[in-house]
Amino acid sequence: MAMPASEIEEMIRAALPDATVEITDLAGDGDHYAARVTSAAFAGKPRVAQHKMVYEALGGRMGGVLHALQLTTAVPK
């Protein structure tokens, strides 16, 4: 079952309201995405903690309806 990119973006923005979210469907199948998330909430946190915040925002959908997500996080400049 595929997950629309718009739903991924909405879930991340709900958890991180200031986030800039860019989603790319890598295979055109709705199962393999790349996401670049920029948020001030990531400031001072290690990369692992930043990624955990995004995965928590996705509410357990990773490995289920969301098969694969190549994730890049950043703090705004």
Side-chain angles (χ1 to χ4, degrees):
M1 177 186 288
M3 183 173 183
S6 59
E7 186 176 345
I8 297 168
E9 184 174 347
E10 288 171 16
M11 293 179 79
I12 294 170
R13 286 180 183 264
L16 302 164
D18 76 311
T20 300
V21 182
E22 301 169 32
I23 306 288
T24 304
D25 188 341
L26 297 174
D29 60 3
D31 280 331
H32 300 83
Y33 291 101
R36 177 169 177 78
V37 182
T38 304
S39 173
F42 297 148
K45 293 181 174 60
R47 187 87 49 212
V48 171
Q50 294 173 14
H51 287 206
K52 184 176 179 187
M53 291 170 69
V54 174
Y55 290 134
E56 287 173 355
L58 295 172
R61 286 174 176 80
M62 281 302 304
V65 291
L66 181 54
H67 179 72
L69 181 67
Q70 176 184 325
L71 183 59
T72 303
T73 55
V75 177
K77 294 182 181 185

